[in-house]
Amino acid sequence: RSRGQDRTLFEVALVPGPGKVRVHAYKKIPPLLGGEEIEMKGKILPFRPLRNPGQFDRTGWMRSRGVRGSVQAKTVKIVSGPTMLARLRASLRDRIEKATRPDVAALGKALLFGERSELDRTFVERLRKSGGAHYLALSGLHISIVAGTLWAILFLFPIRRRNKIGILLLLLWCYAALTSFPVSVVRATTMATFWLGADLFGKKRDPLVSLASTCILILLVDPGQRESAGFQLSFLAVLGILLFLPLFPKSRIAGLFAVSLSAWATTSPIVQYHFNLLSPLFTLTNILAFPFVILVMAGGAASLIMEEASFVTAVAYEGLSLISHHLSHIPGGHFFRAAPAPESLTLYFLALG
């Protein structure tokens, strides 16, 4: 949901019927928290087809997210209120907002709850050009940070390892629910379930098997995900890391470089295909920005309990802003290019393999 001076923009699931629509409401309505049942009057209009070859396919992107069209609502009536989970999420958002200034709070909410509507557009555009925009979308990276933090806390308690894993998985799915189950979080949490579940049942862990099982399961539930940029980028990034990371020297410094380069090699053509953008500075941006992303998440989570901790989030925000500002202005640091043909993508990945 986003709110401008003269309109409110949000997405709703159709009942009855599959899919969602994007609603433009030009009359003042109460803030929407999530889970409300809404009655509205308006005509569903399909998105405009792609006109210029090679440009960003917004229609395809919307369809991959299950959004069928848009509605300019003449009237909007809230029939029932938000869910208890939505009220909890709103309460946590309010705590972050009260603890710090709006731009810092917006980044904290994006990295913790996946709510990006209030992010500063200039800040987002600079991160996008420098190759760091993926940090703003909840993904496997964020789930791994949350999982690592929770595991460190559970490690302090005298609990059997198998019980700790079970508690960790339960907490991860609770966190996924708190973020409203975005597809990227479901993907990452499902893979974590396969990976950690092997320990629960005394089986040997295999990351490629976990990745493939997650991919198959998600496509069985929602075949339309195969066209989603987020779906393709998530799995290709992990696949690239699993395949190419063993080829690099094993050290902490080389490891950071290797992870970023491996992910960039398998995802950059897909980014160009969907978003017409090529960012050669992706690896450098990832290495420099990663510590600040951790600080934003840590400071944002801590500020839910103690407002003074928001100082950490503010410092990390300034660090990310400084990095993205300088890297996005480096000549040759990013290129806007027409989307490559599917045949070219096929040849690229065959050559890469």
Side-chain angles (χ1 to χ4, degrees), residues 2-224:
S2 63
R3 184 179 293 272
Q5 292 181 349
D6 55 356
R7 72 167 182 171
T8 301
L9 177 66
F10 56 95
E11 292 177 3
V12 296
L14 297 175
V15 180
K20 298 181 291 185
V21 292
R22 173 160 285 199
V23 179
H24 300 260
Y26 290 89
K27 293 184 178 181
K28 188 175 181 180
I29 62 174
L32 300 174
L33 302 181
E36 293 93 341
E37 183 177 349
I38 296 173
E39 287 184 358
M40 60 183 178
K41 291 183 179 180
K43 185 177 181 180
I44 299 179
L45 301 174
F47 293 113
R48 294 179 180 178
L50 185 66
R51 295 183 176 180
N52 299 320
Q55 76 176 91
F56 172 58
D57 187 1
R58 183 173 179 273
T59 299
W61 176 69
M62 283 291 185
R63 287 176 179 170
S64 71
R65 297 175 57 245
V67 182
R68 298 171 54 189
S70 63
V71 175
Q72 289 192 2
K74 298 178 180 179
T75 61
V76 176
K77 179 182 178 182
I78 300 177
V79 178
S80 62
T83 62
M84 291 183 61
L85 190 60
R87 295 178 189 274
L88 172 61
R89 186 165 54 247
S91 175
L92 296 177
R93 288 200 311 259
D94 290 342
R95 285 179 176 270
I96 293 178
E97 291 172 356
K98 292 177 181 178
T100 187
R101 66 179 196 259
D103 54 349
V104 177
L107 181 60
K109 289 186 292 184
L111 298 190
L112 287 174
F113 306 121
E115 299 185 4
R116 294 177 289 172
S117 61
E118 298 177 14
L119 284 168
D120 179 74
R121 292 187 178 182
T122 301
F123 175 76
V124 173
E125 184 64 16
R126 288 172 178 171
L127 266 182
R128 190 172 73 92
K129 289 179 179 178
S130 60
H134 63 284
Y135 279 131
L136 302 177
L138 289 181
S139 62
L141 170 67
H142 303 79
I143 295 299
S144 64
I145 293 174
V146 172
T149 303
L150 292 174
W151 183 256
I153 295 173
L154 289 171
F155 189 78
L156 301 176
F157 296 90
I159 308 173
R160 292 178 58 188
R161 176 180 172 82
R162 291 184 64 182
N163 292 338
K164 288 180 182 178
I165 293 175
I167 295 172
L168 176 60
L169 289 176
L170 177 61
L171 292 176
L172 286 179
W173 281 107
C174 288
Y175 176 71
L178 189 63
T179 61
S180 301
F181 292 112
V183 177
S184 58
V185 172
V186 172
R187 284 195 297 265
T189 309
T190 302
M191 186 172 178
T193 302
F194 279 112
W195 176 257
L196 296 173
D199 275 358
L200 285 177
F201 296 99
K203 303 295 184 180
K204 184 179 178 181
R205 294 187 297 185
D206 188 322
L208 286 175
V209 171
S210 298
L211 183 66
S213 300
T214 303
C215 180
I216 293 171
L217 179 61
I218 290 175
L219 289 179
L220 286 175
V221 175
D222 184 5

